[in-house]
Amino acid sequence: MSNDREIVVLGAGMHPWGKWGRNFVEYGVKAAQDALKDAGLAWQDIQFVAGADTIRNGYPGFVAGATFAQALGWTGARISSSYAACASGSHAIASARAQILAGLCDVALVVGADAAPKGFFAPVGGDRPDDPDWVRFHLLGATNPAYFGMYARRRIDLYGASVEDFAKVKVKNARNGLANPNARYRKAFTAEDVAASPIVCDPLRLMDICATSDGAAAVVLCSKEFAARHTTDPVRISAVSTVTPTFPSALIELPDIATDSSAAVAPQELSFRASLAHAAYEEAGIGPEDLSLAEVYDLSTALELDWIEDLGICARGEAEKLLRDGATEIGGRIPVNASGGLASFGEAVPAQAIAQVCELTWQLRGEAGDRQVAGARVGITANQGLFGHGSSIVVTR
Amino acid sequence: MTKDHKPVVPGWFTTSGEDFSLLGTRCTACGTVFFPRRETFCGNPACSGTEFAEIPLSRRGTVWSYTNAGYRPPAPFVSDPDVEWRPYTIVAVRLEAEGLIVLGQGAPGVGVDDLKVGDTVEIVPGVLYEDDEYVHTTWNVRPVEVRA
């Protein structure tokens, strides 16, 4: 399980998730400094800075690479800034990886940070009928959770899932998050707590849906040659998949109000989410049977179940069984969201995909404390954002 | 005084005649259907079509999935913050002939308990909101057979 396109995660760092009321740059600098310290490097050693953008904090958010480079003190390092909605962090990692693999730099810093508003994410202002994100809010009031609600309802009507299954995901992830010092919610929840929370988008309740948070994550990435001078047991990134959907994309996806048409061309067998994982497995030369753990984007509890199937961990409609059997618990056959997931973090958009890689790095090093997955050697991340963005990253040791 | 009716987006559905329907476009080269309508270049990567014909979409389809809005959505959704929030449904409808899924608000009175994946539904005229000048019109989704 080694390929010549691997790079090394030399350091990982986070600013804890929460509602801190400060500027997102502060969070990013703290995460970056922690990642540098973890790597045993100085800021001046960094040759390339990849920022994951946020659209919520004005111009500095749009040019995050420059923003963090300036905040840490200009060094003449080269930069990039990536926006890919929820996959922005992975696109920043992909940008840094390309620089490293092309031999243009040896060591790079990737940073994502956000300060998010309370409540539903809403489109940027103005009267913009050409923007699908504007259209879905104006015409339908279709918030992000409305899409999660539709996906969840299909699990109930097609696979016999129950709202109790969905609550079980929340209970599991909240329990995992208790042991994570970077999680926002460090509180045990019961199925009764979930059932007592109000309906947001039927069948999903408030506690089925992830909150929006402030937070930051950073990684120091480098070539295998550079890593050899700093560590004898590197954690490696073996795949970064950022594939787009293929036409015709047959599932209704945020923020669209309609799918592609399959009138002329039949849809591919793999859904978009499944194709993200498939490309990652192919690039890493592994399969779902090789996984020690998975960090997936549980924007809703039910969506975690969709991802488990998209990752090929089980067949369609069988994720509830894995959950009920305890297979996705820490200590189970394939722990999912050992970090506590978005259920415990809340989403800090540009930081989240990087945070998933931080978690896998700590797990594979055996540094995850009370949420440690014993003997973890291979992990995968998965996430999806608006407008055909998504990612899946394989981390190995 | 009767207010004028104004489609919330012009050209997305019929505004006259008895047979209400959504309006899409069809690529004259490959036959792919687009809603919202495309009129400049085809989204099929294997097609270089640039000509499109307007077509009415099927008025009936089947429920792909459904949910509701338990909370008031943010702007640009239009609603009066002084009026108590009443959840409405959102339905994803699969149109077989066009091979696509389209979203719509449920018609007034249609709740999530009135729907099941696979049920037959129809696309009907609806009102999104009214202001001082206009009744802003849209499309709604309604079960063909209302459950008892």
Side-chain angles (χ1 to χ4, degrees):
Chain A
M1 279 194 295
S2 182
N3 67 60
D4 58 8
R5 289 185 177 177
E6 287 180 334
I7 57 167
V8 170
V9 186
L10 205 54
M14 285 190 196
H15 184 289
W17 266 232
K19 281 287 181 193
W20 310 107
R22 297 204 301 276
N23 188 291
F24 79 104
V25 182
E26 269 188 54
Y27 311 144
V29 166
K30 194 267 182 193
Q33 288 171 336
D34 282 7
L36 287 164
K37 191 175 167 201
D38 188 42
L41 296 180
W43 158 235
Q44 290 91 332
D45 297 327
I46 296 297
Q47 299 158 349
F48 186 81
V49 183
D53 294 350
T54 168
I55 59 171
R56 266 173 290 280
N57 293 275
Y59 218 107
F62 299 141
V63 293
T67 298
F68 296 126
Q70 184 183 32
L72 288 156
W74 293 124
T75 59
R78 301 194 182 202
I79 51 173
S80 72
S81 298
S82 301
Y83 187 71
C86 292
S88 298
S90 306
H91 280 245
I93 288 172
S95 167
R97 180 179 77 147
Q99 294 283 325
I100 293 166
L101 291 180
L104 297 170
C105 76
D106 302 309
V107 58
L109 173 68
V110 183
V111 191
D114 210 354
K118 195 176 184 310
F120 291 121
F121 282 144
V124 289
D127 203 28
R128 293 174 297 108
D130 291 336
D131 176 353
D133 198 37
W134 183 91
V135 167
R136 56 126 170 184
F137 276 95
H138 185 63
L139 265 72
L140 299 167
T143 57
N144 292 357
Y147 292 79
F148 311 151
M150 287 187 277
Y151 303 151
R153 173 55 61 182
R154 275 183 74 78
R155 295 202 70 85
I156 292 176
D157 284 13
L158 267 58
Y159 306 142
S162 68
V163 292
E164 289 77 20
D165 291 322
F166 303 156
K168 208 181 279 287
V169 174
K170 173 70 175 184
V171 172
K172 168 182 72 72
N173 290 351
R175 193 187 310 124
N176 294 350
L178 280 175
N180 194 333
N182 289 308
R184 172 176 172 188
Y185 302 106
R186 300 186 64 191
K187 181 176 180 306
F189 285 96
T190 64
E192 292 72 32
D193 293 331
V194 180
S197 66
I199 293 269
V200 176
C201 288
D202 180 278
L204 299 176
R205 294 177 178 276
L206 194 59
M207 286 188 190
D208 285 303
I209 290 166
C210 91
T212 59
S213 290
D214 299 355
V219 286
V220 173
L221 303 178
C222 68
S223 65
K224 284 202 266 197
E225 296 70 26
F226 186 95
R229 300 200 291 274
H230 293 84
T231 174
T232 53
D233 193 9
V235 168
R236 297 161 290 151
I237 289 182
S238 304
V240 180
S241 161
T242 54
V243 297
T244 54
T246 52
F247 178 88
S249 186
L251 293 185
I252 192 84
E253 305 275 15
L254 292 74
D256 296 327
I257 65 164
T259 63
D260 290 339
S261 152
S262 56
V265 181
Q268 307 251 333
E269 191 185 330
L270 290 177
S271 69
F272 175 42
R273 282 196 299 266
S275 71
L276 284 162
H278 182 81
Y281 287 134
E282 202 158 67
E283 194 172 295
I286 65 160
E289 65 283 359
D290 298 310
L291 296 177
S292 312
L293 76 165
E295 287 285 312
V296 307
Y297 232 54
D298 55 322
L299 293 164
S300 84
T301 49
L303 196 60
E304 176 171 306
L305 302 169
D306 286 334
W307 272 122
I308 288 169
E309 295 163 7
D310 292 319
L311 289 178
I313 291 169
C314 65
R316 287 277 166 218
E318 291 181 4
E320 283 80 5
K321 182 173 187 320
L322 279 190
L323 175 77
R324 292 171 198 156
D325 292 348
T328 58
E329 301 271 0
I330 294 172
R333 177 168 74 74
I334 172 70
V336 176
N337 286 331
S339 66
L342 295 168
S344 300
F345 276 72
E347 193 185 22
V349 175
Q352 214 76 44
I354 302 169
Q356 290 180 321
V357 173
C358 290
E359 175 68 10
L360 292 184
T361 301
W362 292 324
Q363 288 281 356
L364 267 53
R365 285 180 185 164
E367 296 174 355
D370 290 343
R371 61 181 196 285
Q372 181 65 46
V373 173
R377 305 292 296 185
V378 181
I380 194 167
T381 75
N383 87 12
Q384 186 185 359
L386 274 65
F387 293 100
H389 290 112
S391 67
S392 182
I393 294 181
V394 174
V395 185
T396 52
R397 184 183 156 202
Chain B
M1 195 182 84
T2 316
K3 286 184 251 186
D4 282 340
H5 284 222
K6 185 178 177 181
V8 64
V9 182
W12 283 17
F13 47 86
T14 55
T15 52
S16 61
E18 286 184 9
D19 294 336
F20 178 85
S21 64
L22 295 174
L23 295 173
T25 56
R26 183 188 290 277
C27 172
T28 57
C30 76
T32 295
V33 175
F34 295 97
F35 183 83
R37 50 198 299 153
R38 261 190 193 241
E39 284 157 296
T40 46
F41 41 84
C42 187
N44 173 359
C47 177
S48 54
T50 55
E51 287 182 20
F52 298 82
E54 179 177 284
I55 57 158
L57 302 191
S58 301
R59 302 209 312 273
R60 286 193 172 189
T62 52
V63 174
W64 184 81
S65 196
Y66 52 98
T67 185
N68 66 8
Y71 283 79
R72 191 186 305 276
F77 186 75
V78 179
S79 72
D80 182 349
D82 295 328
V83 175
E84 188 187 354
W85 179 247
R86 294 179 62 130
Y88 60 88
T89 55
I90 297 173
V91 191
V93 184
R94 163 94 188 156
L95 303 180
E96 192 57 38
E98 293 81 4
L100 59 76
I101 298 165
V102 60
L103 301 183
Q105 287 186 354
V110 175
V112 288
D113 295 337
D114 300 319
L115 299 162
K116 267 277 181 257
V117 170
D119 281 359
T120 301
V121 287
E122 58 187 347
I123 292 170
V124 297
V127 172
L128 188 62
Y129 65 98
E130 294 186 29
D131 56 23
D132 293 342
E133 273 184 282
Y134 296 107
V135 175
H136 295 267
T137 58
T138 185
W139 67 94
N140 280 167
V141 178
R142 183 173 73 188
V144 169
E145 290 174 44
V146 178
R147 280 154 192 275

